[in-house]
Amino acid sequence: KDYIQVAASLGIVGGYEDRRFGPDDPLTREQLAVILTRVDRLQAIPGAFDELAFSDRGDISPWARDAVAASVTRGFMRGYPDGSFRPQKHATRAEAAIVLAALLD
């Protein structure tokens, strides 16, 4: 609870629209992208979302589009070999580790 309060006070994490946090909910790839951009203070890149060529680009939630585009453009995240991003797929521990390693590098 204390860690969540600190992260929330720093603007790194937030909750759902109904004011729930859901600490035990799995993290989606698009949520991971949003958290990453908040931690690293990545700025949106104008037009970057329009340049994403993922086959499921239309499935990326509007609130996550700038974060996904910034994360991909800067090389912190990437899509799958089939050309998809899979924004609502639960992020694996391996994917989170890769993102954190890239962030720390």
Side-chain angles (χ1 to χ4, degrees), residues 4-81:
I4 293 169
Q5 286 178 325
V6 169
S9 71
L10 294 172
I12 295 170
V13 297
Y16 296 105
E17 289 178 4
D18 62 3
R19 302 188 47 86
R20 254 182 337 109
F21 183 73
D24 296 320
D25 292 354
L27 189 67
T28 65
R29 288 175 44 83
E30 65 184 6
Q31 289 170 332
L32 179 61
V34 169
I35 291 170
L36 169 67
T37 60
R38 291 176 180 172
V39 166
D40 202 43
R41 305 210 189 292
L42 294 178
Q43 299 297 314
I45 302 167
F49 181 75
D50 295 332
E51 299 298 318
L52 293 180
F54 297 121
S55 58
D56 57 351
R57 185 174 78 104
D59 295 338
I60 300 171
S61 300
W63 52 265
R65 289 179 179 165
D66 287 342
V68 169
S71 297
V72 170
T73 301
R74 292 192 170 89
F76 291 115
M77 295 184 78
R78 60 183 149 219
Y80 290 93

